[in-house]
Amino acid sequence: MVMVKMVEDGAALPEIQAVFDEIKTARKSDWINNFWKVLASHPPTLHRIWATIKEVMAPGAIDPLTKEMLYIAVSVTNNCEYCIHSHTAAAKNKGMTDDMLKELLAVVGVANETNRLANGYQMPVDEKFKPKFD
Amino acid sequence: MVMVKMVEDGAALPEIQAVFDEIKTARKSDWINNFWKVLASHPPTLHRIWATIKEVMAPGAIDPLTKEMLYIAVSVTNNCEYCIHSHTAAAKNKGMTDDMLKELLAVVGVANETNRLANGYQMPVDEKFKPKFD
Amino acid sequence: MVMVKMVEDGAALPEIQAVFDEIKTARKSDWINNFWKVLASHPPTLHRIWATIKEVMAPGAIDPLTKEMLYIAVSVTNNCEYCIHSHTAAAKNKGMTDDMLKELLAVVGVANETNRLANGYQMPVDEKFKPKFD
Amino acid sequence: MVMVKMVEDGAALPEIQAVFDEIKTARKSDWINNFWKVLASHPPTLHRIWATIKEVMAPGAIDPLTKEMLYIAVSVTNNCEYCIHSHTAAAKNKGMTDDMLKELLAVVGVANETNRLANGYQMPVDEKFKPKFD
Amino acid sequence: MVMVKMVEDGAALPEIQAVFDEIKTARKSDWINNFWKVLASHPPTLHRIWATIKEVMAPGAIDPLTKEMLYIAVSVTNNCEYCIHSHTAAAKNKGMTDDMLKELLAVVGVANETNRLANGYQMPVDEKFKPKFD
Amino acid sequence: MVMVKMVEDGAALPEIQAVFDEIKTARKSDWINNFWKVLASHPPTLHRIWATIKEVMAPGAIDPLTKEMLYIAVSVTNNCEYCIHSHTAAAKNKGMTDDMLKELLAVVGVANETNRLANGYQMPVDEKFKPKFD
């Protein structure tokens, strides 16, 4: 049950509608998902998070599809239902196939398993793994 | 402080040494990291995890470097020091640059942030995000 | 789907009803929320948790509203839907405004982000931050 | 780096020393571990947690060794280094063998893995699994 | 909302149906729960996880009921709704009583609490707790 | 073992040194902690996180000390050693007493406990707790 009243696309104050319009343009989409409608209830957060997402998810040394898959890996580990759905949809829009999703989830599962084996056995970090800087 | 006595490469029983040798061959490497030396204290786990890693981390619909980066994303979210070090080293061996690591960590950070915004506001999943199957 | 049969207010054994009555008196309220109705299925837990909550959430060096907000911060980080709802309601009863909730969630989001940046980069704790005791 | 000055056994105020003595008697031990020396810096917490541990970890429908193993399972999942060490030691004192520890960690690892498969695929709970109460 | 189309028992390809049949035989049951129907969408994962579960959950140094309770402890800590339901049902099938479930949850709750006290106070691991190997 | 080479205060490129100088001025401090020296290895992250912290941690509907305590609550729940140390130091600078820290940790502990009781029992959210918007 959402904690605040969502701001609807088309019924927002100009400052908020401008962000909605920018999101739609950037995504070549004609609708706004609930994430932004909720954040619009707190304009400073709306502006900050949209600026952050634009910067961090942009193509760079890592391509946007891989970034979406990293997002899914985190969201599954944290069990964020909203984020699992929204970023799986986003990754599919960027070309993630069903087989890729299944392999992604297999990796996420195994990483969560071996994280606990490493912690449970209190494995010492190998000297060779420690970064060296002169 | 490791919880069990590690089994050293070269001083292992034949059944274990065979796994060590296979790991070294597969990785074109001449040493065994602590993860495997610790698991070797419990041969069923050693065999099972090595078989799992071989299958899940192999090239498939997702390439091995991307799989390593997904592993890092999970390990950072869970704060597994051993796994962060070992998989960052593995990813670098497979071609991850410093800039890629930094972008990866930026995505992991933001995903952890927005996961909590979605949870904290109890955002409802958009109908459009829900998968449909006929 | 709740795991045990809830004990209803007014239909409880005397020992349990006494706790229910104390909760209602303490909260100046005429109803019991599900948290307590569920715990009443295990009287030792009901008694222990109520005694704990009374002690830990009481005014002290930190005021009760701030304590409720700390509770929300933990519950959002852990993604406990029940606790997010119940402690947001409790905090509002104690004076938390909508703007305070939104700022709280912004802080929780950013803390979850920077926690992963610190872990992912394996940042060393500064000497100046380490407490000293003579 | 511990956040408060620990209270040493033998150098504590009478109220605290009484708890220390009770802990030593209950454990048939002649020393106090750091967990209690730290909590002794805040007497209400010391009293509350000791009363809680005495009640919750006592023999009941579940035996004390199994309770210690459950404690380890949680501590490994949360990656609490102190708790992993202290409860592994406690479990060994109560009869946990090395083979039991290794099987425990295997279960904890797999549970963490399948938790993420269930979350990642957003598996719906089977009707048959939902508890029914008349 | 499940992310893939589930494979129904009786309507599966022979390779998958063989696993379903093995699961039903092993469990002396005539139905397949959603966990397996979902994993069947990715046969390598279905085979791997079933082999893993068979091995790890088998009677060994720890009995199957205790293993199910460890599974619940992890699933509750991670808040995996599906896993909490499925493993609570499995544990009840293996003899877990309601009182055992309630004590289990009490231990899980307290372990999660003391994990944070240990972390928050940054408690140093006692020398006596550190395993020694000659 | 830090993953990148830290950028030292006084030896940074002008663009980075400008951020360092702004941090020192804002904090009325003459040194830079490792968090910023590490992020300086990735200037976009340094700029973005500093802008975020400035905005989110500023006085608003919630005062800066309470925001620091919320930060600690999250960091303890996630077990981020660096963040626990740095934000405990920051909170003390802003007036958090030892008694406040101890009460904070007590609340964080109990919240982590009751989060798991709510999840483990799968408690249903009370209708009265669900926000209503007309």
Side-chain angles (χ1 to χ4, degrees), chain F residues 9-83:
Chain F
D9 182 27
L13 294 176
E15 181 200 33
I16 290 168
Q17 189 63 42
V19 178
F20 283 0
D21 290 345
E22 191 183 330
I23 292 172
K24 290 191 286 187
T25 301
R27 298 187 166 180
K28 301 187 199 341
S29 165
D30 62 353
W31 72 293
I32 292 291
N33 56 308
N34 289 341
F35 184 77
W36 303 108
K37 292 185 196 173
V38 169
L39 294 190
S41 72
H42 194 228
T45 299
L46 176 71
H47 282 95
R48 182 172 56 81
I49 297 295
W50 172 239
T52 293
I53 291 287
K54 265 194 303 188
E55 177 184 318
V56 171
M57 300 303 280
I62 301 177
D63 64 279
L65 172 54
T66 300
K67 288 184 173 182
E68 287 292 349
M69 293 196 297
L70 294 167
Y71 227 110
I72 296 172
V74 170
S75 303
V76 168
T77 297
N78 285 329
N79 191 14
C80 176
E81 184 184 358
Y82 187 86
C83 313

Side-chain angles (χ1 to χ4, degrees), chain C residues 2-3 33-34 48 61-62 67 71 75 78 82-83 100 103 112-116 121-122 124 126, chain F residues 2-3 33-34 48 61-62 67 71 75 78 82-83 100 103 112-116 121-122 124 126:
Chain C
V2 63
M3 288 292 179
N33 56 308
N34 290 342
R48 182 172 55 81
I62 300 178
K67 288 183 174 182
Y71 226 109
S75 302
N78 286 330
Y82 186 87
C83 313
M100 290 169 76
E103 291 194 10
N112 272 287
E113 178 179 29
T114 59
N115 281 193
R116 271 60 183 208
Y121 281 109
Q122 292 282 298
D126 302 77
Chain F
V2 64
M3 288 292 178
N33 56 308
N34 289 341
R48 182 172 56 81
I62 301 177
K67 288 184 173 182
Y71 227 110
S75 303
N78 285 329
Y82 187 86
C83 313
M100 291 168 75
E103 291 194 11
N112 272 287
E113 178 178 29
T114 59
N115 280 192
R116 270 62 182 206
Y121 280 109
Q122 292 282 298
D126 303 77

Side-chain angles (χ1 to χ4, degrees), chain A residues 65-122:
Chain A
L65 172 54
T66 300
K67 288 184 174 181
E68 287 292 350
M69 293 196 297
L70 294 168
Y71 227 109
I72 297 171
V74 170
S75 302
V76 168
T77 297
N78 285 331
N79 191 15
C80 176
E81 184 183 358
Y82 186 86
C83 312
I84 292 170
H85 278 292
S86 63
H87 287 279
T88 299
K92 286 186 175 177
N93 277 345
K94 289 178 177 145
M96 183 178 72
T97 64
D98 262 18
D99 277 350
M100 290 169 76
L101 176 62
K102 292 163 187 173
E103 290 194 12
L104 182 162
L105 294 177
V107 173
V108 169
V110 173
N112 272 287
E113 178 179 29
T114 59
N115 281 192
R116 272 60 183 206
L117 292 173
N119 292 342
Y121 281 109
Q122 291 282 300

Side-chain angles (χ1 to χ4, degrees), chain C residues 61-126:
Chain C
I62 300 178
D63 64 280
L65 172 54
T66 300
K67 288 183 174 182
E68 287 292 351
M69 293 196 296
L70 294 167
Y71 226 109
I72 296 172
V74 170
S75 302
V76 168
T77 298
N78 286 330
N79 191 14
C80 175
E81 183 183 357
Y82 186 87
C83 313
I84 292 169
H85 278 292
S86 63
H87 287 279
T88 298
K92 286 185 175 176
N93 277 345
K94 288 176 178 146
M96 183 178 70
T97 63
D98 262 18
D99 277 350
M100 290 169 76
L101 175 61
K102 291 164 187 173
E103 291 194 10
L104 182 163
L105 294 177
V107 173
V108 168
V110 173
N112 272 287
E113 178 179 29
T114 59
N115 281 193
R116 271 60 183 208
L117 292 173
N119 291 343
Y121 281 109
Q122 292 282 298
M123 296 184 183
V125 177
D126 302 77

Side-chain angles (χ1 to χ4, degrees), chain F residues 101-118:
Chain F
L101 175 62
K102 291 163 186 172
E103 291 194 11
L104 182 163
L105 293 177
V107 173
V108 169
V110 173
N112 272 287
E113 178 178 29
T114 59
N115 280 192
R116 270 62 182 206
L117 292 173

